[in-house]
Amino acid sequence: MKKQLSLALIAALTAMSLAACGGSSSTETTAAATEAETEAEAGESEAEKEAEADAGEETELIIFAAASMTETLTEIADLYKEVAPNVTLTFNFDSSGTLKTQIQEGADCDIFISAGQKQMNQLDKDASAEVNTEGLDFVDGATRIDLLENKVTLCTPEGNPAGIEKFDDLADKLANDDILLAMGNSDVPVGQYTQKILEYYGLDEEELAAAGKITYGTNVKEVTTQVTEASVDCGVVYCTDAYSAGLTPVDYATAEMCGQIIYPAAVLNVSASPEAAAAFLSYLTEADAMAVFESVGFSAVE
């Protein structure tokens, strides 16, 4: 009897011991799981905070763009606020030659959009040495694109008092009559295109200027102003600027006259925010931005 009680007591004590060990293991497992879960939640929280911090980081992009893009880029900037609300776009609009010089002299700039290939090439180390004569290296070649095409147009003041209806008329009157043409300076793309048109018709620019038949503008906006104020008989400007100034072109230059008018764009390798700059440049090729460009006479480059 005593032997049986002893065996029963030993069995009971063993069972209690095993239960206690199991409870301790379970508690430790639960505690470990809770700790791991807490650490994971903390990790996720930190990651979320970092993402939120990145998303909320304020970035300013400085964009140097040809004066003929003033209205379109200003409108596109409003659209881009919805896409990237933390990006501030600051524009510097002027002639492409002036902008090129400012970049060369160290002005802060993230993106350059030129109204001609020449000014972009003068800053691009991969361009011909005949154009980039100083060996300048400002263009991030991996980002350079041909963004837009424009057209060179002939415009006259309201009422067209000189009766100039097309480029053929302009050439004839410059050679034989006393008229005044407004055109861009030789360092301005629209001026260079106008020079090609004069050459196409066999006209000597220097002789015409000396005879008082040509007046100049430092950028295309100055040329349109002279036309709208009727201080000249006609002017050669871009289609986009004619639209912005409320002028109706009387004729369009052909590719044979002055070539194709391409606007190249690129992020500069001196950009303080190259990724944000590349993102905005990419946005300019998308449908919403391109619709704004096309509404004033630009077209995508084919």
Side-chain angles (χ1 to χ4, degrees):
M1 182 70 174
K2 290 181 179 180
K3 185 177 182 179
Q4 291 176 347
L5 288 172
S6 297
L7 291 172
L9 180 59
I10 291 170
L13 291 171
T14 301
M16 291 175 63
S17 176
L18 290 173
C21 290
S24 175
S25 176
S26 176
T27 301
E28 291 173 359
T29 301
T30 301
T34 301
E35 184 178 353
E37 184 177 349
T38 301
E39 290 177 355
E41 289 176 352
E44 288 176 2
S45 178
E46 288 302 318
E48 289 173 357
K49 287 179 181 178
E50 290 179 5
E52 289 174 0
D54 290 340
E57 185 177 351
E58 295 292 332
T59 302
E60 180 186 18
L61 293 180
I62 301 173
I63 298 140
F64 282 26
S68 51
M69 305 185 75
T70 302
E71 289 77 15
T72 50
L73 284 180
T74 300
E75 182 175 347
I76 288 170
D78 291 334
L79 297 177
Y80 198 61
K81 287 179 182 178
E82 300 178 7
V83 177
N86 300 304
V87 175
T88 299
L89 301 176
T90 300
F91 295 104
N92 178 20
F93 296 109
D94 211 320
S95 72
S96 298
T98 297
L99 297 175
K100 173 261 175 186
T101 299
Q102 292 174 351
I103 291 170
Q104 180 180 352
E105 293 178 347
D108 291 336
C109 179
D110 296 290
I111 296 173
F112 179 36
I113 309 176
S114 171
Q117 298 285 13
K118 178 181 178 180
Q119 289 72 23
M120 184 68 75
N121 286 338
Q122 288 174 331
L123 297 172
D124 191 343
K125 68 178 178 57
D126 294 326
S128 168
E130 295 180 358
V131 180
N132 187 359
T133 57
E134 299 175 80
L136 300 177
D137 181 13
F138 286 90
V139 174
D140 179 351
T143 68
R144 180 172 174 171
I145 59 173
D146 288 339
L147 179 62
L148 299 166
E149 181 177 1
N150 206 341
K151 293 187 182 301
V152 171
T153 66
L154 176 63
C155 293
T156 61
E158 186 176 356
N160 191 6
I164 302 170
E165 302 292 344
K166 52 188 177 179
F167 277 105
D168 288 350
D169 292 341
L170 169 64
D172 180 64
K173 290 180 181 294
L174 282 173
N176 302 300
D177 297 335
D178 187 18
I179 67 166
L180 184 57
L181 163 70
M183 62 179 281
N185 288 341
S186 60
D187 65 338
V188 180
V190 73
Q192 294 160 8
Y193 293 126
T194 308
Q195 288 177 325
K196 292 180 180 180
I197 293 171
L198 294 177
E199 292 172 4
Y200 174 81
Y201 284 105
L203 297 169
D204 188 308
E205 179 189 352
E206 290 186 4
E207 288 183 4
L208 293 172
K213 295 185 177 183
I214 295 180
T215 182
Y216 295 92
T218 60
N219 60 50
V220 70
K221 295 296 184 184
E222 290 188 6
V223 178
T224 57
T225 297
Q226 292 180 58
V227 177
T228 56
E229 292 179 349
S231 60
V232 295
D233 295 300
C234 61
V236 177
V237 298
Y238 295 121
C239 176
T240 51
D241 293 284
Y243 178 92
S244 299
L247 298 171
T248 301
V250 295
D251 200 7
Y252 296 84
T254 64
E256 183 182 7
M257 291 179 184
C258 62
Q260 194 176 17
I261 292 74
I262 302 297
Y263 282 47
V267 176
L268 299 188
N269 55 26
V270 293
S271 170
S273 305
E275 292 184 2
F280 179 65
L281 185 54
S282 176
Y283 177 77
L284 293 180
T285 67
E286 296 177 8
D288 288 346
M290 197 56 66
V292 175
F293 288 133
E294 292 174 349
S295 70
V296 300
F298 280 118
S299 60
V301 179
E302 298 181 357

